[in-house]
Each structure stands twice: as structure tokens, then as C-alpha cells.
Amino acid sequence: THTHTHCLKLLVPSGVTASRKLTLTVRSVDLLKSKTGVNRREHHTDCYHDDELIVRRGQPFQIALELSRPFKHSTDKLHLELKTGKLPQVSKGTHVIIPLVDELENVCWQSQITEQSGNRVQLLVSSPPNALIGRYQLTVTTGCAKGEATSTHDPASDIYMLFNPWCEGDTVFMDNEDERMEYVLNDTGRIYYGTEKQIGVRTWNFGQFSEGILQACLFILEKSKVQPFGFGDSVNVVRVVSAMINSLDDRGVLEGNWSGDYEEGTSPTAWSGSVDILKKYYAEGGTPVKYGQCWVFSGVTTTVLRCLGIACRSVTNFQSAHDTDVSLTTDVYFDENMEPLDRLNTDSVWNFHVWNDCWMARPDLPPGMGGWQAVDSTPQETSQGTFCCGPASVNAIRTGQVYLKHDTPFVFAEVNSDKIYWQRNLDSTFSQIYIEKKAVGHCISTKAVGSDERMDITDLYKYPEDTEEERIAVETASRYGSRPETYSSPAAEDVQIEVVMEGEGPRMGADAQLKIVLRNQSRHPRRATLHSQVAVMYYTGVLKGTIKREKLPVELMPSEGEKVASFVTLSLQSRLIKLWVLSSQPVGEAVVGKEMAAKISFTNPLPRTLKSVLFRVEGLGLQNVREIAVG
């Protein structure tokens, strides 16, 4: 009995141990996610300040598993599972099952064991170039003769998948390395503003790699309530971002405000980068940040798209038209006495307007329409019921093919619409009295690749003025507008008019004198009545108030130019002055890891004392936005 009992004591534990040895389970997952490791370096994600595994689609990445025993190829099984979104489904691509194969094909979800040492195996995982972008939850399922086991989900093992401009199979592929460095990896830039005669520039900290920004960008996609199975399509993602950067419809990131009263938030001119805005939106659970105007919407859009892996740039159009009735023209209406009809004059021309270009193929459009696509997050007109705009093929805009989606007519009108003047007849119909063919779309600007110079990209958006191709594009586009008969009857254009400014031009705090020059280019005398109106106007083209109106009869002899004497002086004043300093002077030596002092000098340009002066200082990686009240 003693011997028998002793045998039982030996046998039972021995059986349990054998069973445990046979079962195959996952003890730990190593995503090899170090910023200096092979995954982050090869996927060009080592610049993200986050500690997660961040990879790009269409390109293999490595992970390592610690198993309960050595893996046996002949009898053991193993596969990975990735889930994204709230209701993952295999049929919609939001629940991905990744099989273990002997050789990777690199065009679909697969994994391959590349190294094995004891209980540790290293896997190479491939993803298709059209994989959904976003955050995936990873689990590992193992199997053997004794049954299957699935690892529990650990949030620390989540995988972040981005678009891949380095992958030829990805729709966002960009083959120029210098352009990828500028439009995907550069986290600072320049945005242009002002007028075509006085182009100003402001530095902008895009900060797409700052800690927490990737999570904020994915939060924006989630807040859109668009289903995650649509996030494999770059066109769809860009459209969602365009809608979500403004707050209308969907409580997106930024609330627009052009009123001049910004007491309940931050003045649009006070922002110098996107990081604070995105962090605030994320931290407050999706409460729109106050306030933005076009350059702020554009700067944040550049940040989000670069962060998600889409090449993007901020673009400024001077003399930018806002077409409100899809006529593809900018229309100005007068009554019988040449008085403006304000209720009809809803179209406007902005001094400048900032939007974005993003780079992608367009398999949904005819060949040749890929490349730069215009996208605009500033809320102006709705598109399919939502305040968004684009992506519109820049090639389609240039050639007037406005029937190609998305929102090509609106962008075409911004850069190349004719400004048409209409006068009301006695029977209440309207007749064209004048067409300005070069009124809109000047000096379209973006930061140059690899330098801080301004690059003029007007020729990408339109053919040169006065060329036959440009006229064909305008007339082609107008045939698809709400007034296709606009160009059916030719109008006389033999009297030219120009407004010029005397002296050095406008200076803050000084008077400016304007002069009108008329030229008769015909062989016949011309009589005209010159109606002039001077008004205070926001940069968006919206009138605030009229200063002066004049009516003056003019007679011009054949081939005669006549100068009309100066008719108004304007005193240029501004409530808010925005000064940009591109560099500062260090005080003493700058040493890595140690505090340093910097000296920043300003000069007041106005002939009066400035009050309530506030400095906002920011430096990516050096200094979060800090406000210094000077008084």
C-alpha cells in the first residue's frame, strides 16, 4: 500500500506537467516598437514622439512572440488577429485574420516565421497597400493537438497603421524623396497671406509628430461617425478630414469666426501652430476650439494629413473668388442707376484664401487626374449636404473639367472665374455690361521644397492668362455651371480701367492715395460714367461699411488714356498687429539638455503707443505656447 500510494503521488503531477508541455500558449508579445528599432526606422515613423508601434501599410513589419514551449512547424498552428472600430467584422475588413505562411506575398495580410530560438519566434507581417488605416487591437491564436488558445488583448500591443507614400501600391505613393521629406516629414512650414502686392508670410508649427497628436488625429476620424471600413480609401479619408476640421455639422475641431470679437476664445491671429488646437480638442472630448480662420483651418489640415501619412501642403490663393451659386463666374449686380444690389451680390473676392493640396492617385477618375488634389476645410459652401470641399483634381481644375468630383466647380471658380458685371434692365432682366477676365486667382503660393522660399504654383491651377487654352478652360467650365449661356454673346472690351496707388503704397498708420486710370483702346470716342465706391472690407471680401461714393462723367478720345485725379485718402489703422519672428538671439551658449535664454526684439511700427501687448512664444520640441503679457 505504501508503494502504491507513492506511485500515485508521482504519476498525477507527471501527467499534468506533460499536458502543460503539450499545450501551446503565448506568454508575451514584443512589438519591437523602439523609435531606434528596425520597424520604426524602415517605416519612416521614428520621428513620432509616441511609444507605440506605428507602421505604414503595404510594407512588412516584425514582431516577436514568447511561447510556452518551442513551436513545432509540423503539428502546431498560429495566426494573428487584428480588430479596429467598435464592431469589427471580417466581411468589412475591420476584423483581419492573418495566416501563417511559408513565403510572404506582400500584397495581402500574411505572416511568416523568420527566426526561432527556444520558445521565442520572430514573425514578419505583411499588409496590403489598401489596408484600413487606424488603431488595431492585436491578439494571437495558437493551436495544437490539445486544442486552441487565444492571447488576451493588451492595449500596449495595439498597432497603428498609416498611409504609405513610400509604397508604390498605395494610392498616396509619391516617388520624389525630397518632396516626401517636405510634404510628409517636415513638421514646420510657412503660410502666406495679405495681398498679391504685399505678400506676407507666417511660420506655422505643424507638429504632426508631437506626442499625442496621432491619437488626436484618429480621434477626429472616430468623431466623424464614418464607419472604419471606409478608412482604406485616401479620397474618403481626405473628405472626412475636410469636414471635421471645421465645427459646422459635426462639432469638428475649429469654430470659424470672422467677426473681430474673439473674447470667448483665442483670436485666429494668435495661433502659431496646430499642436495646441488638436491637443485641446482631444483633451476636451471633441469640443470645438475657438477660433479659426482660413489659414488656421489649413494649418491644422496639413498637420492631420501629414500625421496620417498623406503628403500635404498649405496653399494660398490671392484674389480668391467665392462663388455662391455654382455659376462658375463671380457676379456683381447693379440696378438701372448703377447702384450695387447688395441682396444679389452674394459672390465675393477674398484678398487671400488658404486651402490645401494633398497628393494621391485618383482611380475613381479618368487617367491623368492623379497628383495634387485641392482640399479646403474652411466652411464656405456645403458639398453633398456637409461643409467640406475636395479632394478636387488640380489637373481637372486647370482644364475646366468641372464635372469630375469632388467640388471641382467651386475650386475652379476660386482660381479662374471671370468677374462679370450685370445691370438691371427696365423689364427686370439683367444684361452683361463688363467682363474682367483676370480678376481672380493670382500668385497661388506655397512653401518651396527644402527651403523657406515662396513657390508660385499658379500654373498648376490655370493656364497663363490671355492664352487660348485658358479661355477654353473657362468656357468649358461655364457650360457645366448654373448659367451656361454666359459666353454666348461677345461683349465690347475696349475701355480699360485700373486703380493705382500713389507713392510707396500703403503703410500701417499712414494715409494712402488712390488714383483711377482709364484707357480707350478703340478707334472711336467713348463716353462713360465712372461710379466709384470705397468701403472698409474684411479680407474675405465682405463689406463692413461704405466710406465714400462718387459719380463722374468721363469722355475719352480714341486711343486716349486719362488719369482721373486722386479721389480718396485712406488712413490705415489696425486694432490687432501680428508680428512674426523667425529666429531669436541666444544669450550665452545653447547646450543640449540645459536651459537657455533667448532675446527677442520688437519695434512698434505705428506712430502711437500700443496697449495690451501680449507675446505668444512657441518652439517645437523646445517650448510649448507661452503667453507673456507686456502691457
Side-chain angles (χ1 to χ4, degrees), residues 40 88 93 150 356 511 543 547 609:
R40 296 279 293 265
T150 300
N356 297 81
D511 288 344
L543 296 182
I547 296 174
T609 303

Side-chain angles (χ1 to χ4, degrees), residues 315 317 320-323 328 353 355-357 373-376 380 388-394 396-398 402 406-417 440-441 444 461-462:
V315 170
N317 178 37
S320 186
H322 178 174
D323 175 26
L328 282 301
H353 181 45
W355 63 72
N356 297 81
D357 281 347
Q373 313 288 315
V375 56
D376 192 346
Q380 294 177 91
C388 65
C389 179
S393 166
V394 172
I397 293 161
R398 189 173 195 249
V402 296
H406 292 277
D407 310 306
T408 315
F410 185 80
V411 186
F412 178 90
E414 287 182 302
V415 299
N416 207 10
S417 57
V440 307
I444 303 176
Y461 273 88
K462 57 201 287 191

Side-chain angles (χ1 to χ4, degrees), residues 267-340:
S267 165
T269 56
W271 302 113
S272 55
S274 309
V275 173
D276 271 18
I277 294 168
L278 289 167
K279 281 187 173 180
K280 184 175 173 64
Y281 184 71
Y282 183 40
E284 295 181 2
T287 301
V289 177
K290 299 176 179 180
Y291 294 102
Q293 289 181 11
C294 64
W295 67 90
V296 189
F297 289 112
S298 173
V300 175
T301 299
T302 300
T303 298
V304 173
L305 292 184
R306 286 186 185 180
C307 182
L308 297 178
I310 297 176
C312 183
R313 62 191 185 188
S314 290
V315 170
T316 303
N317 178 37
F318 293 94
Q319 293 298 99
S320 186
H322 178 174
D323 175 26
T324 57
D325 59 1
V326 204
S327 64
L328 282 301
T329 54
T330 302
D331 301 296
V332 184
Y333 295 94
F334 299 94
D335 65 13
E336 299 83 349
N337 301 315
M338 287 301 292
E339 292 292 328

Side-chain angles (χ1 to χ4, degrees), residues 419-430:
K419 193 171 185 180
I420 301 185
Y421 295 81
W422 304 83
Q423 185 177 15
R424 188 167 63 194
N425 302 316
L426 294 174
D427 62 359
S428 294
T429 61
F430 284 88

